[in-house]
Amino acid sequence: FIPDERVRVAVYRRIAEATDADEVHALRQELGDRFGQLPSSVERLLTLADIRILAANTGIHLVEVRNRKIILKRDEDYIMDSARFTTLTTTTPDDQLQELHDHIRELA
């Protein structure tokens, strides 16, 4: 997607160092302007950055998905719904990431 290795590494670094959703949104816009439509792999990476930031802002320090179960941990406690982990209902990776994002947003 980004042919120049230095630019690609710099973009990865910016994604990893983003600290708020506005930064990720601006980066998404910038990448679209510079390189055209973003491939789904880049969109997923940016969505993961959004999830990381949102989780951190809500005090969640562990985010995992195992066997379609959303495993979240705040402090030393797992976040559960009625003593159960929430189960993803969607099947595609993009939809699952969005569902995970929405679930964490609901906890904020």
Side-chain angles (χ1 to χ4, degrees):
F1 172 68
I2 301 174
D4 185 292
E5 184 176 349
R6 287 189 318 223
V7 174
R8 187 171 54 247
V9 170
V11 168
Y12 283 133
R13 182 175 292 117
R14 288 179 60 197
I15 293 169
E17 293 174 349
T19 58
D20 65 48
D22 290 338
E23 261 184 274
V24 176
H25 177 74
L27 186 53
R28 182 179 273 117
Q29 286 295 122
E30 178 186 334
L31 291 173
D33 291 345
R34 287 177 70 185
F35 302 104
Q37 184 172 355
L38 303 179
S40 60
S41 58
V42 174
E43 284 290 352
R44 282 188 211 114
L45 185 60
L46 293 167
T47 301
L48 282 169
D50 279 332
I51 290 169
R52 173 183 50 81
I53 292 164
L54 184 59
N57 290 342
T58 58
I60 296 169
H61 63 87
L62 173 72
V63 176
E64 289 184 21
V65 175
R66 285 189 229 148
N67 299 322
R68 298 183 54 187
K69 303 277 190 223
I70 299 173
I71 301 168
L72 305 173
K73 197 171 188 180
R74 182 184 291 138
D75 300 320
E76 293 303 315
D77 299 319
Y78 287 101
I79 301 171
M80 304 173 105
D81 184 27
S82 301
R84 293 183 168 191
F85 291 117
T86 301
T87 302
L88 292 170
T89 59
T90 55
T91 56
T92 67
D94 294 332
D95 290 342
Q96 287 180 338
L97 279 175
Q98 189 60 52
E99 187 176 357
L100 176 61
H101 181 273
D102 294 345
H103 179 69
I104 294 171
R105 181 179 298 248
E106 290 173 8
L107 298 172

